[in-house]
Amino acid sequence: MRRAAALALALAALFAAQGVRAQGQAVLDVMDNRGAMLGWEAVGRLDTPGGFCTGALIARDLVLTAAHCVYDRASAAPIPAGRILFRAGYHRGTQIAAREVSAWVVPPNYRPAPGGYQSGPAIASDVALLKLSSPIFSSEADPFIIHENPPEGSTVSVVSYGRGREEVLSRERDCAVVERYRNGELAFDCDVTFGSSGAPVFIRDNGRLRILAVMSAIRQDERGRTTVAFGPGVAGVVPALAARLRKDDSRATPGTGARRVGVGGERRAGGARFVRP
């Protein structure tokens, strides 16, 4: 597989429109009742002013998502933590638990570009860790564990919200890692959609699902079909982000080297179209 062209559009922090995989129509499990969500309560909708992303609990008070989700789409300004709401197990207007965000951090080497376009290195560090205003008890939602990067070709699944199904959680059970890059970026044949930004990519390890990556961007062909999805592996990033949050919440805001990421329209390059899911 050839490396994606220099610029790729970030996954939108907003809304989802179901895509079609080049290999065929993706099969989604739509969790349209509370019973179907059993075991997935730690995945939630991350509501921001004017839009939403998907996030997942990795500790009682920590949520993992994409870095571009914590920046305003239009102005490119960082979103104040208190204006972000995590709704664990969100389903048709209700949730298992809701918490405001008290602080967030992104990697120091994250370099977003205005207008929503991102380089490969930006996608590789498109990770954010959010600290909640108060913990969510494990009896409400059991946090997921981070997994190390698997060998190429490993089967993964994606759980997210999206436009047209933003009120319910959906899961694509069977997609795969198709490429790994030296900078930590992974490529998937998963069918992700607008609103899937920050969605956890799961891999099964000894019968348990663990988070391998978060969704960041997609590439489409000339007919608007999703051909490849991209996201950063999180195993090497999360511990440092968690340490920053635990050390001093007052520093858990964008600082030196943690610039904003914009989201915008689309750009054509090399015959492929890069769009924000």
Side-chain angles (χ1 to χ4, degrees):
M1 168 182 171
R2 298 187 62 178
R3 184 69 172 86
L7 295 176
L9 208 52
L11 277 175
L14 321 172
F15 317 126
Q18 184 166 330
V20 178
R21 246 194 287 167
Q23 294 86 343
Q25 181 70 42
V27 177
L28 295 177
D29 293 335
V30 179
M31 304 176 197
D32 55 4
N33 61 73
R34 279 289 179 196
M37 295 184 66
L38 185 63
W40 299 107
E41 297 88 350
V43 180
R45 208 172 76 174
L46 198 65
D47 290 353
T48 60
F52 68 88
C53 280
T54 302
L57 279 174
I58 60 168
R60 289 178 55 198
D61 62 346
L62 296 179
V63 172
L64 179 67
T65 190
H68 71 261
C69 291
V70 295
Y71 293 88
D72 180 76
R73 178 186 184 188
S75 69
I79 299 174
R83 301 193 67 189
I84 304 173
L85 180 68
F86 178 66
R87 308 175 77 177
Y90 177 82
H91 181 79
R92 299 191 185 281
T94 65
Q95 55 275 321
I96 300 298
R99 298 288 190 277
E100 289 184 354
V101 172
S102 63
W104 58 259
V105 290
V106 298
N109 63 335
Y110 182 56
R111 294 292 186 273
Y117 299 97
Q118 295 199 109
S119 64
I123 294 173
S125 58
D126 191 8
V127 181
L129 201 58
L130 287 56
K131 182 175 176 59
L132 302 180
S133 57
S134 61
I136 294 176
F137 296 106
S138 56
S139 59
E140 297 173 303
D142 195 14
F144 289 101
I145 296 173
I146 302 299
H147 190 280
E148 297 291 337
N149 289 351
E152 188 174 317
S154 296
T155 299
V156 295
S157 60
V158 181
V159 181
S160 69
Y161 295 89
R163 189 176 64 199
R165 51 182 177 83
E166 60 264 29
E167 295 298 314
V168 296
L169 197 60
S170 297
R171 180 189 181 200
E172 183 180 359
R173 290 183 295 174
D174 188 14
C175 50
V177 178
V178 296
E179 189 94 18
R180 297 175 66 197
Y181 302 105
R182 291 182 181 178
N183 61 7
E185 181 185 346
L186 301 172
F188 309 93
D189 66 356
C190 306
D191 177 16
V192 294
T193 68
F194 293 100
S196 298
S197 291
V201 180
F202 290 101
I203 185 169
R204 191 171 293 278
D205 180 27
N206 294 322
R208 297 197 64 182
L209 289 171
R210 302 181 187 274
I211 299 176
L212 168 67
V214 294
M215 281 296 174
S216 176
I218 61 172
R219 184 174 66 190
Q220 289 188 329
D221 62 19
E222 295 293 335
R223 299 176 64 182
R225 297 177 302 184
T226 300
T227 58
V228 185
F230 299 94
V234 296
V237 180
V238 168
L241 294 181
R244 286 173 58 193
L245 282 175
R246 301 297 189 195
K247 182 177 181 180
D248 186 353
D249 287 351
S250 67
R251 298 178 184 176
T253 54
T256 303
R259 301 177 183 174
R260 65 158 299 278
V261 59
V263 291
E266 61 190 45
R267 172 173 294 184
R268 296 177 182 272
R273 188 171 58 176
F274 295 84
V275 294
R276 42 178 196 152

